[in-house]
Amino acid sequence: MSNIKIYAFADEAGQDLNTQISAMKRTGIDGLEIRAINGMNVKDISNYRAKEIKKAMDDNGLEIWSLGSPMGKISIKDNFYPHLDNYRRLLEINEILGAKAIRLFSFYMPKDEDPTIYRDEVIERLNKFVEVAKDSGILVCHENEKGIYGDNAQRCLDIIENVKGLHGIFDPANFIQCNQDTMEAWEMLKEHISYM
């Protein structure tokens, strides 16, 4: 088990980068799943700020493992193309940050509607995310989340099996919120999970 590394959303320890770095070092965390710095999501930082963050992390011997992006956290009925432009910008920022993975989601479903109605649109959009990132070297990873298409194990499996090049993230707490048995989900998805 010595090859296991632990990364964190350090914005839960504090908003500014110095507080986040201090918390990671104090707790023995290997690095960061970067989500927000000073209340600003990673997708909105400038290239200059990205260089500052990368240098500070390198100077402290810490990695940036993943981009904790909000990609796919829009309604399936929202216009996808401005969102895809934000995704492209995030991949540009990552050329500086050097994260190995990016997490994304499979779009919020309209309440009181059967999510399977939107299945083909979800698959098409996720395929577009993977296609846009294909030359970046980054792992494109889907996280299960309450209220999105991939909020239960069966639909997560459907996504992974039908979006070539997409990897899985396993969040047991999110499955619990959706009344999904976590062990059943693990058995169904474990071959496709890149991180938890």
Side-chain angles (χ1 to χ4, degrees):
M1 288 256 206
S2 62
N3 62 343
I4 292 176
K5 292 194 172 188
I6 299 176
Y7 302 95
F9 287 124
D11 57 355
E12 294 182 359
Q15 288 203 10
D16 69 279
L17 184 61
N18 288 337
T19 302
Q20 293 182 25
I21 287 171
S22 176
M24 286 184 284
K25 291 180 81 172
R26 185 174 63 251
T27 56
I29 301 289
D30 296 295
L32 182 61
E33 182 160 6
I34 186 169
R35 184 170 55 188
I37 305 289
N38 293 328
M40 182 178 291
N41 186 272
V42 64
K43 75 175 178 58
D44 298 317
I45 64 174
S46 67
N47 286 5
Y48 179 79
R49 185 67 177 126
K51 288 174 186 173
E52 288 183 329
I53 292 166
K54 175 67 171 151
K55 183 177 185 325
M57 293 290 288
D58 289 347
D59 289 351
N60 283 279
L62 295 166
E63 291 181 73
I64 299 174
W65 156 251
S66 179
L67 303 175
S69 90
M71 297 296 101
K73 278 194 165 189
I74 61 171
S75 169
I76 192 65
K77 293 184 173 184
D78 288 344
N79 185 348
F80 179 58
Y81 291 97
H83 197 61
L84 190 59
D85 288 341
N86 286 334
Y87 180 72
R88 286 187 176 100
R89 172 66 186 133
L90 195 51
L91 294 174
E92 288 173 10
I93 294 167
N94 195 54
E95 289 176 16
I96 298 166
L97 295 176
K100 313 292 187 294
I102 182 170
R103 67 121 191 222
L104 47 78
F105 302 88
S106 53
F107 307 98
Y108 289 115
M109 297 290 106
K111 289 187 181 201
D112 304 319
E113 288 191 48
D114 179 358
T116 60
I117 295 168
Y118 300 97
R119 183 236 181 232
D120 291 347
E121 179 69 18
V122 168
I123 298 297
E124 183 178 327
R125 289 180 177 197
L126 292 175
N127 271 306
K128 184 60 82 173
F129 279 143
V130 172
E131 179 188 325
V132 167
K134 72 176 186 257
D135 296 325
S136 69
I138 200 166
L139 286 176
V140 181
C141 303
H142 173 265
E143 180 177 337
N144 58 292
E145 169 94 352
K146 185 176 181 180
I148 64 172
Y149 180 81
D151 66 358
N152 68 32
Q154 189 60 55
R155 289 195 295 266
C156 284
L157 185 61
D158 179 39
I159 287 167
I160 293 292
E161 289 180 339
N162 288 285
V163 182
K164 187 177 179 185
L166 187 66
H167 300 260
I169 302 171
F170 191 88
D171 187 325
N174 286 347
F175 277 136
I176 289 168
Q177 290 181 53
C178 300
N179 299 314
Q180 168 69 64
D181 180 275
T182 54
M183 288 308 296
E184 176 186 60
W186 177 251
E187 287 304 317
M188 195 177 295
L189 298 168
K190 63 185 177 183
E191 301 303 320
H192 307 285
I193 301 301
S194 291
Y195 71 101
M196 299 180 74

